[in-house]
Amino acid sequence: MRFIITKDYEEMSRTAADIIAAQVRENPACTLGLATGSTPEGLYADLVADYEAGTLDFSQVQSFNLDEYRGLPGDHDQSYRYFMNKHLFDHVNIDKARTHVPDGSNPDADAACAAYEQAIVDAGGVDLQLLGLGHNGHIGFNEPADVFPKATNCVDLTESTITANSRLFDSIDDVPRQAYTMGIGTIMRARKVLVVANGEGKAQIVRDAFFGDVTPRVPASILQFHPDVTVIVDAEAGSLCPQA
Ligand code: F6R
């Protein structure tokens, strides 16, 4: 595991964007795994800036997002499809037909999840998977549990995740209670993993996830066993780590 502490959010974002840009330059037809949330907004803005500067070409890139709320269609302003269009896809030359997000509008959870897992396999797997980190250690929407979910699955969101995400909805009652998410197995099959986390509020979970025991009670801790993972945090999120 490479663990990088940057001085602030801007440097965290730029460092992460450089790793994604390098992946695309090395293999222009690569498959990226992408995340939503507040943390990657800055790095997506940096990738858009690279594209606008003419130094990055997404025309052959294919992408798979980690997760989507069950019950939200892609044009809902809190859906993850909408987020990706707004922060990245609408601003670069990626072919939207090659961008994939689980189909939250499909009420048949088993069918939606199986189709998504198969689409990733058919694409040859993910080359570089970007992840944010939940306050409870979730990655994707894989919440603390007794086991590590193997494949794309339908999850019940925990109260802590519903509360954390309610800031983006008109009321907490509007937050969907379920989501479709890549499983921990899906994530671990990515050839490379890149994790970003920032802010004081993530300091304890960053320490637990990357320097604590490996346990499904802290889903991100399994990444300690991944052969090619880079974790980039700002100084606040890294403040409780042994090397800080
Ligand atoms: C989003 C996702 C989540 C977030 C996590 C952190 O697609 O999979 O696991 O990465 O909840 O969210 P932020 O970045 O908003 O703190």
Side-chain angles (χ1 to χ4, degrees):
M1 180 175 75
R2 281 174 296 281
F3 191 84
I4 302 170
I5 302 182
T6 59
K7 75 173 187 302
D8 56 18
Y9 179 76
E10 284 66 37
E11 192 180 297
M12 178 205 80
S13 300
R14 187 63 259 175
T15 308
D18 285 345
I19 290 173
I20 296 171
Q23 171 69 50
V24 173
R25 289 183 191 118
E26 184 191 309
N27 175 10
C30 68
T31 299
L32 298 177
L34 298 174
T36 61
S38 310
T39 317
E41 285 184 18
L43 74 89
Y44 288 145
D46 288 340
L47 291 174
V48 170
D50 289 348
Y51 167 72
E52 287 172 348
T55 60
L56 202 51
D57 174 15
F58 288 89
S59 60
Q60 297 177 67
V61 169
Q62 151 152 254
S63 70
F64 286 88
N65 262 78
L66 281 166
D67 43 17
E68 180 61 282
Y69 288 117
R70 184 183 189 197
L72 292 196
D75 57 359
H76 188 288
D77 68 1
Q78 290 308 327
S79 76
Y80 288 172
R81 158 61 69 183
Y82 189 96
F83 175 102
M84 290 310 302
N85 288 344
K86 179 175 164 194
H87 290 282
L88 185 65
F89 301 155
D90 282 346
H91 310 289
V92 298
N93 64 338
I94 199 163
D95 175 0
K96 284 228 184 106
R98 291 167 65 79
T99 66
H100 308 272
V101 180
D103 183 5
S105 66
N106 185 350
D108 184 340
D110 289 347
C113 294
Y116 201 67
E117 191 72 22
Q118 190 57 47
I120 296 171
V121 172
D122 293 346
V126 169
D127 292 306
L128 174 62
Q129 176 67 56
L130 173 66
L131 299 172
L133 181 64
H135 288 97
N136 60 5
H138 73 213
I139 46 177
F141 268 130
N142 296 286
E143 302 282 27
D146 294 333
V147 294
F148 292 110
K150 291 180 185 148
T152 303
N153 65 108
C154 179
V155 291
D156 296 326
L157 305 188
T158 62
E159 281 310 314
S160 98
T161 299
I162 292 167
T163 306
N165 291 5
S166 65
R167 71 191 191 281
L168 303 165
F169 288 80
D170 290 340
S171 98
I172 194 160
D173 296 334
D174 293 338
V175 185
R177 269 32 190 182
Q178 289 186 312
Y180 299 150
T181 180
M182 284 186 194
I184 294 291
T186 325
I187 293 168
M188 288 294 280
R189 283 189 284 278
R191 286 180 271 281
K192 290 181 213 160
V193 175
L194 173 61
V195 188
V196 285
N198 72 291
E200 227 185 327
K202 296 277 173 79
Q204 185 62 50
I205 195 62
V206 165
R207 181 188 169 95
D208 292 347
F210 302 113
F211 300 94
D213 291 341
V214 174
T215 161
R217 305 311 312 173
V218 182
S221 64
I222 191 80
L223 297 171
Q224 293 181 46
F225 291 157
H226 192 284
D228 190 339
V229 56
T230 302
V231 182
I232 307 177
V233 301
D234 72 351
E236 289 181 351
S239 61
L240 297 179
C241 292
Q243 68 192 71

